[in-house]
Amino acid sequence: MFDTLFNQHGITLSIVLGFVSLAIALWLIRSVIAASAGNEQMKSIAAAIQAGASAYLHRQVVAISWIAVVIFIAVGLLRNWTTASGFVLGAVCSLVAGYIGMNVAVRANVRTAQAASVGPRPAMRVAFNGGAVTGLLVVGLGLISVGLFYLIVKSLTHDDRAAIDSLIGLALGSSLISVFARLGGGIYTKAADVGADLVGKIEQNLHEDDPRNPATIADNVGDNVGDCAGMAADVFETYAVSLIGAILIGYLTSAGHSSAALVFPFLICGLSIIGSVLGICFVNMSKSNATNALIGGVAVSGLISALLIFPATRFLFPQALEFSGKMVSAQSLFFCVLIGIVLTFATVWITNYYTSTAHKPVRRIADASETGHATNIIAGISVGHHSTTLPVLLIAASILGCYELAGLYGIAIAVVSMLSLSGIIISLDAFGPITDNAGGIAVMSGLPEGVRKITDELDAVGNTMKAVTKGYAIASAGLAAMVLFGSYVEELKFHLPNTALHFDLTNPKIIIGLFIGGLLPYVFTAYAMDAVGSAAGAVVNEVRRQVKALPGILTGETTPDYGQCVDIVTKAALKKMIVPALLPIIFVVGVAAIPFLGKEALGGVLVGTIVTGLFVGIAMTSAGGAWDNAKKFIEEGNHGGKGSPAHQAAVTGDTVGDPYKDTAGPAVNPMIKVVNIVAILIIPKFF
C-alpha cells in the first residue's frame, strides 16, 4: 500500500507538507507580532528601520524587473514560453520569500529588544521564531512552486520531459534573483556598516549603533535587506535548484525514466519539513544557552528527518533500480541521504569552530590585534584560508561515497537531503540580523546596560550562526554544482546522441575552459568588493561632513540626518549590483558563442567556476565571521576592551571582513548555480 502511495502521490504529499510549512510560518508571524514592541521611542526607531528596508526592496524590485523582462523574452525565444513562465515563477517566489521574511524580521527586532529586558531566554525565543518564519517560508515556497509547476506542465503536455525542461526556467529565475538580492543587499548593508564603523568607532570613539552616528539607521536597515532578504533568496534558489537538479538527473539516468526516481527528491524535502518543525519546537522548549539550543534544534531536525525518510525509501524502492547501468538498492540511496545530513552537521560544526568566540581561530585574531592593524588582517586571512581544508575534504569524500553507492543520482540525493534541512538552518541565519538590530534599538532608545549585555551576547551567537549558515549554503552549492555539471553532460548526451564527448584533461579546450571558469569567481568578487569600498567611502565622507557642519550631533543636541546615508547606500547598491550579477551569463554565453571552443570548453568553465568558487566562498565567509567575532571578543573586556589599540585594530579587521562575509563571499553561491543553469539552458541553441 505504502509503495503505491509514495510512488503515485508522493509529489502531492510533499506539496501538502509545503502548505503545512507555510501555515506554521503564518502562526509564528502572529505569535511574534503579538509580543510587546516596547515604548514609543523603541517603536519610532523600529519604524524608521522598517521604512528604510521596505523602500530599498521596492526600488530593488523595480530595478531588477527591467532586466527580468529582457531575460524572460530571451528564454521564451531560446527555449519556449513554458520555460519562460517557470523563470517568472522562480523569480517571484525568490522575491516573496525574502520580502516576507525581512518584513517579519524588522518587526521581531524591536520585540527582541523588549524581551531582553525580561531575560535572555525570552529574547532568544522571539528572535529565533522571527527567523523561523523565513526558514519555513523558504522550504514551503520552494517545494510548492517546483511541485505544482511540474504537475501543471505535465498535465498539460502529458510529457515528463517537457515538464522537467520547464523547471530549468524556474531554476534560472530563482538563481538570478538570488544573485541580485545577495549583491544589492550585501552592498547596501556593508557600505553602511563599514562607513559607520570607520568614522563612529575609530575617529569619534562612539559605541556600536550610537544614535549620534548619522549612518546608524542605514546600518540597521542593511542588516535586514542583506542578511534576511538576501539570504532567503539565496537559500530558496539553492533549495529549488538542487531539487530540480535531482529530478533531472533521476529522469536522465534511471532505467525507463523511473517515476520513483522523480518522486524521491520531493519526498525527502517534504518529510524533512516535519523534522524542521519539530526542531523549531525543540529550540523553543530548550533550557540550554542560545548556542546549544540552536545547534540542538538542528540535530533534532536531522535525526527525525532521517527516521522518516528511511521507511519512505524502502517503500518507494522495493527492488533495486538501474541508474546509468548500475543497480542501486534502497539501502544505498538511504546511505546517500545520511551522507547529506552528516555533511550538514559537519559543516555547521566546522564553521562554528572557525567563527565562534569560544574557539582558537577567533581568539588568535584577537591576540594578533594587540600588535596592530596589519597583524589582525594577516591573522584573519590565514583563518579564512585554513577554514577551507576540512569542508573541501568532506565534500570530496561525500562525492566519492555517493557516487560509489548510487552514481550521479546518489550525489543529487545527498544534496537534496542536505538542503531539505533549510527550514531549521535558515532560522539560525535570520536570528543574526534580528539580534543585531535588537541591540541597536536598545542603544538608540536608551535601554539599561543589562539589556544591551543580553543583546550583545545574542548578537555574538547570531554572528556565528550567520557564518554557519553561509558555510552550509556554500558547501551545499559545491555539491549542487557537481550535480548541475552532471546534468549538463547528460543533457548534451540527450540532445547529441550521436556525438562523442571528450571531457578529459588532454583536450586543450577543457583547459581553456577551466582557466576561464576559475577566473569568474575572482572577477565577480572583485566587482562586489569594489562596490562596497566606493559606497563605504561615500558614507564616510557624509558622516564626516555632518559631524563637522553640525557640532551639536556629538553632544546630542542635534539629530543627525540619517536619510542622507540611507540614500547614498541605496543608490550605490542598485547601481553597482547589475554588472557583477550579469557576469555569469556573459561568461557562459560568450564561451558558447566562440566556434572553436564549444561544448567541451563550456564544460571546463563549469568545473573551473565550481572549484575556485567553493574555495573563495568558504574562505571569505569564514574569515569575515572570525574578524567580526574577534572584535566582539575584545569588546567583552579582553585585550583592553573597547577603545583600546587592540579594539581599533579589530574594528579595522571587522570592516575588511564585512564585505567578505556579507557581500562577495555568499554571493558566489548563487553565481555558481547561474553559470551551470544557463549552460544547460542554451544547449539546444548553441550545440
Side-chain angles (χ1 to χ4, degrees), residues 330-347:
Q331 183 178 8
S332 295
L333 289 172
F334 181 68
F335 280 141
C336 293
V337 171
L338 289 182
I339 287 173
I341 293 174
V342 170
L343 184 58
T344 299
F345 292 148
T347 303

Side-chain angles (χ1 to χ4, degrees), residues 7 77 85 174 196 219 232 270 372 386-387 408 464 466 573 584 649 686:
N7 213 326
L77 295 175
S85 299
S174 60
D219 183 11
H386 278 302
S387 70
L408 190 58
T464 300
K466 286 192 293 183
F686 282 86

Side-chain angles (χ1 to χ4, degrees), residues 32-91:
V32 169
I33 299 301
S36 172
N39 58 44
E40 290 305 316
Q41 188 175 4
M42 294 170 67
K43 293 177 182 177
S44 175
I45 294 165
I49 296 171
Q50 292 167 23
S54 296
Y56 170 75
L57 276 193
H58 174 73
R59 292 173 68 174
Q60 185 184 57
V61 169
V62 172
I64 294 173
S65 295
W66 292 106
I67 299 170
V69 168
V70 174
I71 296 175
F72 167 75
I73 295 171
V75 171
L77 295 175
L78 283 171
R79 292 292 287 254
N80 54 66
W81 295 106
T82 305
T83 304
S85 299
F87 169 81
V88 174
L89 178 61

Side-chain angles (χ1 to χ4, degrees), residues 109-404:
N109 54 13
V110 67
R111 289 163 173 81
T112 300
Q114 175 61 23
S117 64
V118 178
R121 284 181 49 73
M124 187 271 287
R125 280 197 295 267
V126 173
F128 175 75
N129 287 337
V133 171
T134 304
L136 293 174
L137 276 173
V138 165
V139 295
L141 284 174
L143 199 48
I144 292 167
S145 61
V146 175
L148 278 181
F149 192 66
Y150 170 79
L151 291 179
I152 290 170
V153 176
K154 183 179 177 181
S155 67
L156 293 175
T157 61
H158 305 289
D159 183 0
D160 273 327
R161 177 67 204 187
I164 293 170
D165 278 347
S166 68
L167 291 178
I168 297 172
L170 193 154
L172 178 63
S174 60
S175 293
L176 195 66
I177 292 303
S178 174
V179 174
F180 279 111
R182 260 303 184 198
L183 282 171
I187 293 167
Y188 187 114
T189 181
K190 292 305 111 180
D193 197 355
V194 171
D197 282 354
L198 288 177
V199 180
K201 290 183 178 178
I202 294 180
E203 295 183 10
Q204 301 298 334
N205 201 28
L206 299 177
H207 292 300
E208 183 100 16
D209 299 311
D210 193 304
R212 293 172 292 175
N213 191 328
T216 190
I217 293 294
D219 183 11
N220 281 279
V221 170
D223 290 332
N224 295 287
V225 299
D227 280 322
C228 289
M231 185 62 175
D234 183 354
V235 177
F236 173 85
E237 72 86 21
T238 303
Y239 185 90
V241 167
S242 300
L243 178 56
I244 292 166
I247 295 166
L248 180 59
I249 287 292
Y251 178 83
L252 292 174
T253 63
S254 64
H257 305 310
S258 166
S259 61
L262 301 183
V263 170
F264 191 41
F266 283 104
L267 272 179
I268 292 172
C269 291
L271 294 173
S272 293
I273 286 176
I274 300 173
S276 292
V277 169
L278 293 176
I280 291 168
C281 293
F282 173 87
V283 174
N284 276 274
M285 294 186 295
S286 175
K287 296 181 180 179
S288 302
N289 61 45
T291 300
N292 290 340
L294 296 174
I295 299 300
V298 176
V300 167
S301 296
L303 179 61
I304 292 173
S305 298
L307 291 175
L308 292 172
I309 293 169
F310 176 70
T313 310
R314 297 290 298 271
F315 285 123
L316 194 60
F317 298 96
Q319 296 178 336
L321 182 64
E322 183 180 339
F323 288 92
S324 299
K326 180 185 182 72
M327 298 304 295
V328 177
S329 66
Q331 183 178 8
S332 295
L333 289 172
F334 181 68
F335 280 141
C336 293
V337 171
L338 289 182
I339 287 173
I341 293 174
V342 170
L343 184 58
T344 299
F345 292 148
T347 303
V348 168
W349 183 86
I350 292 166
T351 313
N352 179 68
Y353 173 75
Y354 280 102
T355 58
S356 171
T357 56
H359 300 295
K360 287 183 180 179
V362 167
R363 297 190 177 192
R364 189 164 66 245
I365 297 173
D367 292 340
S369 302
E370 289 200 341
T371 52
H373 299 251
T375 48
N376 171 283
I377 299 298
I378 292 168
I381 293 174
S382 171
V383 167
H385 288 188
H386 278 302
S387 70
T388 62
T389 305
L390 287 176
V392 169
L393 291 177
L394 284 171
I395 290 170
S398 300
I399 290 172
L400 178 62
C402 291
Y403 192 81
E404 289 297 317

Side-chain angles (χ1 to χ4, degrees), residues 86-112:
F87 169 81
V88 174
L89 178 61
V92 169
C93 288
S94 186
L95 284 171
V96 167
Y99 188 81
I100 296 176
M102 184 211 70
N103 273 283
V104 174
V106 295
R107 286 160 177 79
N109 54 13
V110 67
R111 289 163 173 81
T112 300

